[in-house]
Amino acid sequence: MRRVESALAGNPNCTTGLFTTNRVVGIQKGPSGGEEILALLYADDPWFGYWYGHILRHPKNREVFVSLLAWSVHLPNAPTVPLFFRRFHYWVIERGAHHLCTVQDHNDAYQESFSLGGAAANLAKIIGCFSLEKRSGDEYGPYADDPVEFAYPWRLGLRAEEHPFPISSPLTVVKNSG
């Protein structure tokens, strides 16, 4: 096994990216123009998608940090932090490759704070109550008809299923260099 691990480590063409070794990644100035943190909550079965916790500045009110839950069919990854965030923004936000989910209560998928520390505390609460089984919704529960457009609702005002594909964008956004 060591020989195989050594061969993988010795070949720069064999990469698996940041999210295979770190479940939480942060950047001082991400594609949103400010500090960002991404956490991988669930990546066990592609059928259920990939669930992320994301902290970023709200694009319309730069004094506010948003902590949110994002559900996507894409698992962006990269060998460097800046490229990782660019790929995440490209696939999940710009391309609109995210979906709505049912909420469990009024603040388990989206919260706002005036500080990064407050946003981290909010995201920790969202992560603490995350349960994939509860994301399908309770048709008789108080939030059954309250899907949150948690994943970047300000992005063109469109849901993933309404997004006009393809969207032109420069390939430099997703290239394989840092």
Side-chain angles (χ1 to χ4, degrees):
M1 204 147 102
R2 285 189 187 124
R3 178 176 272 172
V4 174
E5 287 174 353
S6 202
L8 285 170
N11 185 340
N13 295 315
C14 297
T15 63
T16 55
L18 295 171
F19 257 180
T20 59
T21 55
N22 305 304
R23 291 181 61 188
V24 180
V25 180
I27 192 168
Q28 286 292 326
K29 187 172 182 181
S32 69
E35 297 162 298
E36 292 187 51
I37 296 174
L38 267 166
L40 182 62
L41 278 65
Y42 182 89
D44 185 52
D45 187 335
W47 176 258
F48 295 113
Y50 305 98
W51 294 78
Y52 304 95
H54 194 183
I55 297 173
L56 70 160
R57 292 222 184 239
H58 194 290
K60 294 181 180 176
N61 183 356
R62 303 301 288 168
E63 294 179 19
V64 172
F65 284 92
V66 174
S67 302
L68 55 83
L69 184 63
W71 174 29
S72 179
V73 295
H74 290 285
L75 180 65
N77 213 345
T80 66
V81 173
L83 181 58
F84 170 74
F85 277 92
R86 286 197 311 268
R87 286 181 176 172
F88 185 87
H89 276 257
Y90 174 78
W91 284 108
V92 178
I93 300 172
E94 291 180 28
R95 297 290 295 204
H98 57 270
H99 304 284
L100 300 176
C101 73
T102 303
V103 298
Q104 295 163 227
D105 65 45
H106 71 280
N107 62 1
D108 77 332
Y110 181 93
Q111 294 187 38
E112 296 180 354
S113 177
F114 288 105
S115 71
L116 184 61
N122 288 342
L123 185 57
K125 290 177 194 170
I126 290 170
I127 291 169
C129 72
F130 176 78
S131 170
L132 190 62
E133 289 83 28
K134 294 179 182 177
R135 290 290 150 192
S136 63
D138 172 7
E139 63 182 306
Y140 303 107
Y143 302 99
D145 298 321
D146 188 21
V148 174
E149 292 191 36
F150 61 90
Y152 328 107
W154 51 81
R155 182 68 188 163
L156 301 177
L158 300 175
R159 296 179 184 189
E161 60 272 12
E162 300 168 338
H163 210 285
F165 285 99
I167 297 174
S168 62
S169 73
L171 292 177
T172 57
V173 175
V174 292
K175 66 181 182 173
N176 282 328
S177 64

